[in-house]
Amino acid sequence: DGGITQSPKYLFRKEGQNVTLSCEQNLNHDAMYWYRQDPGQGLRLIYYSQIVNDFQKGDIAEGYSVSREKKESFPLTVTSAQKNPTAFYLCASSIQHRSSYNEQFFGPGTRLTVL
Amino acid sequence: GDSVTQMEGPVTLSEEAFLTINCTYTATGYPSLFWYVQYPGEGLQLLLKATKADDKGSNKGFEATYRKETTSFHLEKGSVQVSDSAVYFCALTDGSSNTGKLIFGQGTTLQVKP
């Protein structure tokens, strides 16, 4: 079955440590996205990528970094510079980045907790 | 910039009641509109979409009509079930920046009691 996988489902990190969240898709989608979700709020875009080796900052990119070395993979690193990293992180992908008609498909999410 | 506003929750209904979750938007251009559903501890699933004015999206008994004159995309269901309990997000494509990214409302929690 095609889909998006995120791992791990739960992640705990000590303050001052970097941590990398995995996102893999086998849908052959061009575009991939990372969102952050906090309780009672909608999703906020962290980074997005429309092609391999290219990505752009979203609305809340500070303290995060990404890479897109392969079409199917878009890992997100939460660095120690992120002031409040505890949140639910969602990865998504879509067929064509610049089309307004193509919906995004979401992974199951990773819940990051900073201890 | 573009934005989405949803009615605040939680919305609490009895099983078989009629559901309406209001969604209004501000946008430049001609965005596509979406409703996503999120069950506890999971990612978002696309529920329905509409790509132009007067389009009606429908799925699993839910429906919403793209109303350009009132800039609305209200979600409705004639008879809710306990299994519909979830958080519902209204979203639109960001037409002002032409990036294809989605702009989400804050989400509305629906609780259906037996």
Side-chain angles (χ1 to χ4, degrees):
Chain A
D1 287 337
I4 301 176
T5 57
Q6 292 185 242
S7 61
K9 188 171 179 63
Y10 298 97
L11 189 56
F12 298 89
R13 187 195 92 177
K14 293 182 179 179
E15 282 192 34
Q17 289 181 337
N18 292 353
V19 63
T20 298
L21 282 59
S22 169
C23 177
E24 303 278 333
Q25 55 98 359
N26 60 4
L27 300 168
N28 200 32
H29 286 174
D30 297 306
M32 297 187 74
Y33 309 82
W34 273 105
Y35 293 92
R36 171 181 171 136
Q37 185 179 21
D38 294 285
Q41 298 188 33
L43 279 66
R44 294 182 290 170
L45 183 66
I46 304 172
Y47 268 98
Y48 61 99
S49 167
Q50 57 181 357
I51 57 173
V52 174
N53 292 323
D54 185 54
F55 47 83
Q56 287 78 41
K57 293 181 178 180
D59 302 315
I60 55 166
E62 185 176 354
Y64 300 98
S65 65
V66 293
S67 63
R68 188 85 187 276
E69 297 177 0
K70 298 185 296 182
K71 186 176 184 178
E72 59 270 23
S73 179
F74 191 42
L76 173 74
T77 297
V78 184
T79 74
S80 56
Q82 168 51 232
K83 299 301 182 187
N84 185 22
T86 295
F88 190 50
Y89 291 87
L90 287 159
C91 179
S93 69
S94 65
I95 294 174
Q96 186 176 353
H97 178 70
R98 293 194 179 278
S99 168
S100 65
Y101 305 122
N102 292 316
E103 65 268 24
Q104 293 180 18
F105 295 81
F106 284 80
T110 292
R111 186 166 298 280
L112 173 64
T113 302
V114 175
L115 303 174
Chain B
D2 295 3
S3 65
V4 176
T5 301
Q6 294 180 230
M7 64 187 289
E8 290 195 19
V11 174
T12 303
L13 296 174
S14 298
E15 207 165 22
E16 299 185 1
F18 184 86
L19 168 70
T20 300
I21 299 178
N22 290 337
C23 171
T24 57
Y25 67 89
T26 302
T28 57
Y30 303 95
S32 294
L33 301 174
F34 305 88
W35 277 103
Y36 281 86
V37 59
Q38 184 180 34
Y39 299 100
E42 298 184 8
L44 275 66
Q45 301 174 25
L46 178 68
L47 183 58
L48 53 84
K49 69 177 181 181
T51 59
K52 60 183 186 298
D54 300 325
D55 266 2
K56 177 185 283 189
S58 61
N59 185 28
K60 299 180 181 180
F62 291 90
E63 59 182 34
T65 301
Y66 189 164
R67 301 286 189 197
K68 190 169 173 60
E69 65 276 13
T70 55
T71 61
S72 65
F73 192 55
H74 304 321
L75 182 68
E76 297 181 335
K77 187 176 185 183
S79 176
V80 294
Q81 305 299 313
V82 173
S83 58
D84 294 326
S85 298
V87 181
Y88 292 82
F89 291 94
C90 184
L92 57 78
T93 48
D94 183 2
S96 60
S97 64
N98 197 30
T99 60
K101 71 178 185 180
L102 293 178
I103 295 173
F104 288 87
Q106 74 272 30
T108 302
T109 299
L110 171 64
Q111 299 172 341
V112 180
K113 298 185 175 181

